[in-house]
Amino acid sequence: MKRSKTSKAWVHEHLTDPYVRRANAEGYRTRAAYKLIEINERDHLLRPGAVVVDLGAAPGSWCQVVAGHYPDGRVLALDLLPMAPVAGVDFLQGDFSDEAVLAELVRRLKGQRVDLVLSDMAPNISGVVAADQARSIMLCELALDFAVNHLRPDGSFLVKVFQGEGFMDFRGETERCFQAVRVRKPKASRDRSAEVYLLCEGLRG
């Protein structure tokens, strides 16, 4: 009974969510598109001709935003899950923690430096909070390592992080790698969610 009530409440919230309705009306695959749109309007991340890597891309709403803003750029996307094609996006399905998958992503860059690394990655939720948080931070660290190794000096790194165990340590890591690290909590991110986004700019060294 409790699960049924919870499920009904989630369905009701989802169907009445203004961002869900807006996404349906404007052709975005999920409400998450508006998180990136809001951050971009504030921080001007998307630029003409940019090379963008989108980690944890499925189902593709962030790819839609990026490719829709500047179709003259390059967008490489990766996810463990399949993703329906998005015009102008080169999608690679695979596990980002797999060295072979990472090597293929790097190969597709063809030596180009990246202007913007986006990471909306999150682990499959097991329900064990400590384990889920640890896996989430691990994915953030992998994304940070990729950004440090492949960004242009003036490039940007935007990563979703869940506040909890390991959050402050990870934030410290980003501050050691970048000159400026700012916290963003877009309106489309639900208030009860522990997620925030770290916007990292000014690659050190």
Side-chain angles (χ1 to χ4, degrees):
M1 179 66 71
K2 183 177 181 181
R3 179 178 296 179
S4 177
K5 287 181 178 178
T6 301
S7 299
K8 287 180 180 178
W10 182 89
V11 170
H12 175 76
E13 179 185 46
H14 184 75
L15 292 176
T16 58
D17 186 310
Y19 289 104
V20 173
R21 291 182 172 183
R22 186 177 168 189
N24 290 335
E26 297 180 1
Y28 288 115
R29 294 177 182 180
T30 69
R31 67 194 302 284
Y34 300 102
K35 300 176 187 179
L36 181 57
I37 288 171
E38 180 182 332
I39 294 171
N40 182 59
E41 287 175 349
R42 178 173 180 174
D43 296 293
H44 309 292
L45 300 178
L46 302 178
R47 302 168 188 169
V51 177
V52 180
V53 173
D54 184 1
L55 304 173
S61 57
W62 279 22
C63 288
Q64 289 179 295
V65 173
V66 177
H69 270 70
Y70 295 115
D72 59 334
R74 282 194 72 200
V75 186
L76 284 80
L78 181 146
D79 202 291
L80 183 62
L81 300 174
M83 186 180 89
V86 175
V89 175
D90 181 6
F91 176 67
L92 171 63
Q93 184 177 353
D95 185 345
F96 187 57
S97 64
D98 185 324
E99 290 186 6
V101 173
L102 175 59
E104 174 60 18
L105 179 63
V106 172
R107 188 193 68 79
R108 294 190 187 190
L109 281 172
K110 299 177 181 178
Q112 283 188 300
R113 284 284 170 177
V114 179
D115 296 285
L116 175 62
V117 173
L118 302 170
S119 176
D120 204 33
M121 291 191 291
N124 292 325
I125 300 302
S126 69
V128 180
V129 175
D132 291 338
Q133 179 68 6
R135 282 194 289 269
S136 175
I137 293 295
M138 182 198 73
L139 291 173
C140 292
E141 290 173 341
L142 290 173
L144 173 62
D145 185 67
F146 178 85
V148 167
N149 283 289
H150 296 284
L151 275 175
R152 297 181 186 276
D154 61 346
S156 301
F157 173 47
L158 181 68
V159 56
K160 177 168 71 180
V161 191
F162 292 97
Q163 297 177 85
E165 186 69 28
F167 171 78
M168 291 306 298
D169 288 341
F170 176 73
R171 181 172 178 176
E173 286 184 48
T174 63
E175 290 171 343
R176 284 188 289 274
C177 297
F178 291 88
Q179 297 173 31
V181 177
R182 303 177 181 88
V183 178
R184 296 290 183 252
K185 178 78 172 180
K187 295 176 183 176
S189 182
R190 292 189 171 99
D191 291 339
R192 68 172 182 275
S193 173
E195 73 176 18
V196 295
Y197 291 86
L198 296 183
L199 173 58
C200 310
E201 298 178 302
L203 193 62
R204 297 184 189 274

